[in-house]
Amino acid sequence: MILNRTGYVKNLTLGFPAPTLVKTFLVPFQLKLTIFFLFAACLLVPSIQVKDVKYCDKKGNYVVKVDGVEISPDSVVKGKPATFIISASTGQAISGGKLALEVSFLGIPVHTETHNLCDESSCPISVGKFVLSHTQTLPGITPRGLYSLKMKMEDENHLQLTCISFKFNIGDGSSVSSV
């Protein structure tokens, strides 16, 4: 079997038609190879699943339960985009509201912002699982170190749906870390 420049198979006395060979061997192999490379590409994009998500009120009975937070890249790099993906579930439909974010460094609030809930997820949010996603580029002057983020979610009637906090690291993009 020889592939010419156009990608067509030339039959060189194989004993069976070349299209059969292409259908039974090359196409499935190409598909498997494509799936392998897509999977490998996903592994190359570093992200981290935040393991220590805490509710602001441990006894609070929040309508929205947070299942996890994923941050990509795993060490947020100043001057580069970072994506925060929050997996959650709700026991009631949510037609709108707001997200209030507060970032602290060394226990001192350094940044606050508010977002329309429907800009971070598709509204209305149905009962069940949903995802919030926010991408932001931090200024190049942002100090390296461990930060904490507190997120409060309210509905359009200002009823608090959830409140969580978690820590994340901001680096400078260097692959060498100091010990």
Side-chain angles (χ1 to χ4, degrees), residues 7-98:
Y8 289 99
V9 176
K10 291 183 178 180
N11 192 351
L12 299 176
T13 63
L14 296 173
F16 50 88
T20 303
L21 176 66
V22 171
K23 286 181 187 174
T24 58
F25 175 72
L26 289 181
V27 173
F29 177 73
Q30 222 174 10
L31 181 62
K32 288 178 184 176
L33 194 59
T34 302
I35 292 171
F36 170 76
F37 281 118
L38 285 173
F39 178 73
C42 290
L43 293 177
L44 293 176
V45 176
S47 66
I48 187 167
Q49 183 75 26
V50 176
K51 293 179 180 24
D52 197 20
V53 177
K54 296 179 181 174
Y55 286 99
C56 302
D57 181 359
K58 292 177 185 173
K59 296 179 184 177
N61 188 17
Y62 296 115
V63 172
V64 172
K65 309 290 187 211
V66 174
D67 301 322
V69 176
E70 185 177 330
I71 304 171
S72 179
D74 64 352
S75 180
V76 176
V77 179
K78 53 189 175 178
K80 304 280 184 185
T83 301
F84 295 80
I85 299 171
I86 299 171
S87 303
S89 59
T90 179
Q92 72 182 40
I94 304 167
S95 58
K98 69 176 185 175

